[in-house]
Amino acid sequence: MTAILRKAGDRGVAEHGWLSSRHTFSFGHYDDPRHRGFSDLLVINDDRVAPGMGFGQHPHRDMEIFSYVLDGALEHRDTLGNGSVIRPGDVQMISAGRGIAHSEFNHSRSDEVHFLQIWIVPEVRGIAPQYQQQHFDAASKRGRLRVILSPDGREGSLKLHQDAVVHAGLFADDETASLAIAAGRVVYVHVARGSVQVNGVALQAGDGLKLIDAGAVNISDGQDAEVLVFDLRPETRH
């Protein structure tokens, strides 16, 4: 097994006053040739947005984009006519396909919103744009890795247009989980909050871990940890 640690403090930084963002992979003005995605996982942006502020309407094409709210509330509107508020436990999924424009704002006038925006390269281009949103309660993620995105919508997950499966889990104290990984697949683990051990590697909030030829993802020693696990195709160039 090969394990490659990506420390939170080594991520790209963007400070815009209303937005404080950390980029796991190259994004915007942050370009690092060593970190331009991993397999079909292209972007993990860890965003904190000031009250009442946000991203005005802007377009996307041919990208699978999902938002995972950690604290606060995120208000969404798009050119398909969707409008919603995304809160902790909600997963919002946009399949941009042949074109969609959307805006994302902090719904609160008093509290910061903290969320992850994640991009995955789609398997096919030019599909009709789609919007999905679903709540996954804490109990369904407590001490286990719950499927939240998959190509076939398994176990009540949202559908992703790529050969990738995304799991989310909450871990504390003696809670453990093990996820089998098929031969030839690669894994990216992102710690959204807290601390945890993954395959014996200690990770803190914001850390990421690439796993190659792992066979399994083993999670233990969580301290108020929230974890996302990406089961991906072998690394490819786009």
Side-chain angles (χ1 to χ4, degrees), residues 30-231:
Y30 169 64
D31 185 14
D32 185 336
R34 300 167 301 168
H35 301 286
R36 290 178 177 159
F38 181 58
S39 179
D40 297 304
L41 175 60
L42 190 64
V43 168
I44 301 179
N45 287 350
D46 188 339
D47 291 342
R48 296 175 184 269
V49 177
M53 304 299 288
F55 304 88
Q57 183 169 291
H58 57 283
H60 293 283
R61 291 180 62 90
D62 294 319
M63 192 62 64
E64 303 287 283
I65 302 168
F66 78 94
S67 296
Y68 189 95
V69 174
L70 296 165
D71 294 295
L74 187 68
E75 184 173 347
H76 166 88
R77 296 188 183 277
D78 64 44
T79 49
L80 297 181
N82 297 298
S84 63
V85 177
I86 305 114
R87 303 181 189 276
D90 293 339
V91 177
Q92 175 212 70
M93 179 74 202
I94 299 171
S95 296
R98 56 179 174 259
I100 188 173
H102 71 121
S103 63
E104 309 289 341
F105 277 83
N106 187 341
H107 182 66
S108 174
R109 295 290 176 177
S110 58
D111 300 317
E112 180 182 82
V113 62
H114 180 199
F115 69 102
L116 303 176
Q117 185 171 98
I118 298 168
W119 296 10
I120 295 175
V121 177
E123 189 171 36
V124 293
R125 295 177 178 270
I127 66 171
Q130 300 170 18
Y131 180 86
Q132 304 170 73
Q133 183 177 328
Q134 186 170 322
H135 184 75
F136 298 90
D137 63 24
S140 71
K141 297 178 284 186
R142 171 57 56 201
R144 62 186 291 258
L145 290 170
R146 193 323 178 184
V147 180
I148 60 170
L149 296 170
S150 67
D152 54 5
R154 71 190 69 164
E155 301 176 29
S157 60
L158 300 181
K159 187 172 181 180
L160 177 68
H161 295 91
Q162 182 52 270
D163 179 13
V165 181
V166 184
H167 300 77
L170 303 171
F171 297 92
D173 303 322
D174 60 353
E175 293 172 333
T176 64
S178 183
L179 177 68
I181 302 298
R185 305 281 290 181
V186 298
V187 172
Y188 195 86
V189 180
H190 178 81
V191 180
R193 72 170 100 232
S195 62
V196 71
Q197 286 214 17
V198 178
N199 289 26
V201 180
L203 301 176
Q204 306 290 326
D207 288 352
L209 188 68
K210 295 178 182 178
L211 295 172
I212 302 166
D213 297 325
V217 177
N218 299 304
I219 296 181
S220 62
D221 299 316
Q223 298 295 322
D224 297 320
E226 188 157 6
V227 178
L228 294 179
V229 176
F230 301 81
D231 179 350

Side-chain angles (χ1 to χ4, degrees), residues 6 8-14 21-25 30:
R6 173 74 156 139
D10 295 334
R11 295 177 296 176
V13 176
S21 186
R22 300 295 180 269
H23 304 326
T24 293
F25 303 113
Y30 169 64

